[in-house]
Amino acid sequence: MNDFRVSVYHRPSAEDLPLAGAGFERATVRAHLDEADPRTLLMVLTHLTRDDSHLERFAAVCDPANAESGAEREAAEIRDLLADVLTSGVPRDASPLSEAFFRRTASVYVNEPVDEEFVPLLLDQCGFAKLEGTAAAPEPRPGADGFHVAVIGAGLSGICAGIKLGEAGYSYKIYDRNKDVGGTWLTNVYPGVGVDTPSHFYSYSFEVNPDWPEFYSKGEYVLDYLRSCADGYGVRDHVVFETEVVSCSYDDASKRWAVTSRGPDGVESVEWANAVVSAIGVFQGAVRPDIPGLDDFTGTVVHTADWDPSIDLAGKRVAIVGTGASAMQVGPAIVDDVAALTVFQRTPSWVMPRRKDDLTVPAGARWAMRHVPYYGEWFRFFTYWFASDGNFVRVVVDPDWHMPDVSVSKESEAMRQWLLAYAREELADRPDLLTKAIPDYPPFGKRILRDSNWYRMLKRDHVDLITDRITHVTPGAVVTKDGLETPADVLILATGYQVLPMMSQIAITGRDGTALADVWGHDDPRAHLGTTVPGFPNLFVLAGPNSAPNHGAGVNILAESQIHYVIACLDLLREQGAHALEPRQDVHDAYNEQVDKALEGRVWSHPSVRSYYRNSSGRVVVSCPWRLVDYWRMLRTPDPAEYIIG
């Protein structure tokens, strides 16, 4: 069995109480709780005491109408009662929560009903299901010995795959072309890089991190988290760095994969694996725009994906090409340093309102994350709930909707009006910018971006937003269709990443020498459940075709769900004494017909939307048409009837 720790981050439980020793006196504990979220403290109080009368008594703290004020007395009383529970002999219940109790408590927390169908997912993804009674070390599956898995990529998904394969007792090796673990969080180092999914959810459900410094943390902290998880579970010992997988070829006779990799010395070697897991993700390298004259520019040209930290922008005239996620982070991060900043926009993005100016996690809240049982798990639930399936209704097309050009339903229009109101508020004194900044497609048609002072940046005196098309670049300027020349010392290309063809950097051949590139073509990838492909036994694609949760949540829930399914498939092989598994062609085709039909009724197929979600024929190839809870449930257990097993 692989050597790994059960937990990297301490997760306090009822068994850790009462808090005692220096720094845990009641008065000190009570003072810390002043900076913790009262709604979450109410959940903890109810959880520890199993006294749901607290829910009715203090429900006011969970009412959004009282978010800023109006429930101070209730909040103070919650903190008083919880300080007693944490530091004294007040009875506490350490048994697992029942689903009914969790549902009732959670519904008060979010001030709306939590339907029964969501409860198993929430218990799993918010860390409750595995919290109490965790064994010292999981036992490996009998019969897993000798079954070797090759994992390609050591980012968030690859690390998770390694952890779970190790727990299951499977031998594995991870190949990564970089010098360290972390994937996109290792390679993306442009100014302002960070998460736009709440930090307290953007992590593994089995490793709830109490130490996020911000509610939306910068990339360096995400990288530190992933490194800690890789080290804590011994994953790093299974990674070969600076090694790129060149090809994977399935051998029908031995029912194994020949994995050819190229090391840092350029030498290629071949190793054998019983299964291959691709964890390289959707984004496969920077897209460099085809702008005439770009190569002749005499200043500095840098893509956000290939950022050089040594670049000095102080006092420089900087031009940013693009207004997507990376542009919206890098622009506000550099605006104070540059002499002039010009943003060249092709298509505006919808911008999610800033919740508050200061997104630092208060010291008392971080203390609660580290020391108060279940605080971290409950807060994780809260951040997930409002960034997940509640948004799904806003991406579903109402065929009878009377404003189909700008929105797709009543709920979609309400979202559009909310985003419009925010833009109008932020740009009230700049109507010229407002007309440029409002998209002409419905919300969620493309990724909605979190505001990191984007609108405020655009209003700065030394910032310009240009929407005319770039025609060419001269040695010292960017020229647009109207003939305007914008002098620049530095060009920042925030022009996104290559998505299609998927997995194009690896030559993958399955049964009978069939190439995956031929099956998928240039830009029409398909898979059963977004994970397995007919003719390619024991090949599993993480973040594969039509699996991205583009209406909410993050890649972390996708990774955990798909890896759970991968291991369940490997276990199915073991149970049947078989060696290879692949989806039946008819099952695969029927599933993809359902996907295509469902996507016709989703906002991503709206005629006004042009995005990386779609291929050259307009088919949506990235987005999953189902709710997160639906897709999570689909990936719980493989159906043997859907597979060829031998």
Side-chain angles (χ1 to χ4, degrees), residues 110-174:
V110 296
N111 202 47
E112 64 184 33
V114 174
D115 291 343
E116 185 177 358
E117 65 171 329
F118 293 103
V119 172
L121 177 150
L122 294 170
L123 289 172
D124 173 75
Q125 276 299 306
C126 298
F128 290 111
K130 306 178 187 69
L131 184 61
E132 293 95 352
T134 302
E139 292 297 326
R141 270 80 157 165
D145 292 344
F147 194 100
H148 182 67
V149 182
V151 179
I152 307 172
L156 183 148
S157 296
I159 294 169
C160 187
I163 291 171
K164 293 305 174 183
L165 286 166
E167 287 182 347
Y170 289 101
S171 167
Y172 71 94
K173 186 174 187 175
I174 302 177

Side-chain angles (χ1 to χ4, degrees), residues 11-295:
R11 302 175 67 180
S13 71
E15 296 173 351
D16 295 323
L17 300 180
L19 299 176
F24 294 108
E25 301 83 4
R26 186 195 181 282
T28 304
V29 169
R30 177 62 180 80
H32 284 306
L33 298 182
D34 273 335
E35 287 189 314
D37 177 51
R39 298 164 298 184
T40 311
L41 295 178
L42 174 58
M43 298 303 106
V44 172
L45 177 64
T46 307
H47 188 144
L48 289 171
T49 63
R50 305 301 161 91
D51 182 355
D52 57 6
S53 69
H54 293 312
L55 300 177
E56 182 175 355
R57 180 180 175 188
F58 300 117
V61 301
C62 297
D63 186 342
N66 298 320
E68 299 299 328
S69 62
E72 294 91 346
R73 179 181 59 80
E74 290 87 348
E77 193 168 352
I78 290 169
R79 292 180 169 109
D80 289 338
L81 290 172
L82 186 56
D84 290 338
V85 172
L86 295 174
T87 60
S88 70
V90 174
R92 297 169 293 270
D93 194 331
S95 63
L97 288 177
S98 71
E99 291 192 2
F101 191 92
F102 172 82
R103 181 186 174 197
R104 185 163 63 254
T105 307
S107 296
V108 172
Y109 192 17
V110 296
N111 202 47
E112 64 184 33
V114 174
D115 291 343
E116 185 177 358
E117 65 171 329
F118 293 103
V119 172
L121 177 150
L122 294 170
L123 289 172
D124 173 75
Q125 276 299 306
C126 298
F128 290 111
K130 306 178 187 69
L131 184 61
E132 293 95 352
T134 302
E139 292 297 326
R141 270 80 157 165
D145 292 344
F147 194 100
H148 182 67
V149 182
V151 179
I152 307 172
L156 183 148
S157 296
I159 294 169
C160 187
I163 291 171
K164 293 305 174 183
L165 286 166
E167 287 182 347
Y170 289 101
S171 167
Y172 71 94
K173 186 174 187 175
I174 302 177
Y175 301 82
D176 196 279
R177 61 187 177 184
N178 297 315
K179 295 182 178 181
D180 198 359
V181 300
T184 187
W185 298 108
L186 176 71
T187 58
N188 279 273
V189 294
Y190 61 81
V193 63
V195 295
D196 53 13
T197 300
S199 299
H200 294 88
F201 180 69
Y202 192 87
S203 54
Y204 302 130
S205 64
F206 51 88
E207 284 297 344
V208 177
N209 179 11
D211 295 324
W212 295 116
E214 299 176 343
F215 291 111
Y216 294 89
S217 291
K218 297 295 185 288
E220 61 187 293
Y221 296 108
V222 181
L223 180 59
D224 286 345
Y225 171 81
L226 293 175
R227 283 170 167 163
S228 295
C229 291
D231 292 339
Y233 286 87
V235 171
R236 188 184 296 274
D237 297 336
H238 296 259
V239 185
V240 286
F241 293 109
E242 298 182 90
T243 301
E244 188 164 8
V245 173
V246 177
S247 66
C248 296
S249 302
Y250 185 73
D251 180 67
D252 293 284
S254 65
K255 298 184 177 180
R256 294 186 301 165
W257 285 89
V259 179
T260 303
S261 62
R262 184 184 300 120
D265 56 3
V267 176
E268 293 187 0
S269 61
V270 179
E271 297 174 287
W272 292 88
N274 301 91
V276 173
V277 176
S278 168
I280 60 176
V282 174
F283 302 120
Q284 304 176 68
V287 171
R288 187 180 174 90
D290 184 15
I291 302 175
L294 187 60
D295 292 337

Side-chain angles (χ1 to χ4, degrees), residues 23 58 121 153 169 202 259 375 397 477 505 508 533 547 549 604 613 619:
F58 300 117
L121 177 150
Y202 192 87
V259 179
Y375 186 96
V397 176
Q505 65 269 54
I508 299 177
V533 184
S547 65
W604 308 300
Y613 297 166
R619 187 176 83 83

Side-chain angles (χ1 to χ4, degrees), residues 351-399:
V351 178
M352 187 71 69
R354 210 177 34 255
R355 299 205 180 276
K356 55 182 180 178
D357 288 331
D358 185 5
L359 292 172
T360 302
V361 180
R366 294 181 68 178
W367 182 91
M369 295 277 181
R370 287 190 291 268
H371 301 293
V372 176
Y374 318 126
Y375 186 96
E377 287 73 27
W378 277 110
F379 191 77
R380 179 180 171 91
F381 158 70
F382 192 83
T383 60
Y384 171 79
W385 184 256
F386 290 108
S388 58
D389 280 338
N391 288 321
F392 187 75
V393 67
R394 300 182 178 101
V395 305
V396 177
V397 176
D398 176 357

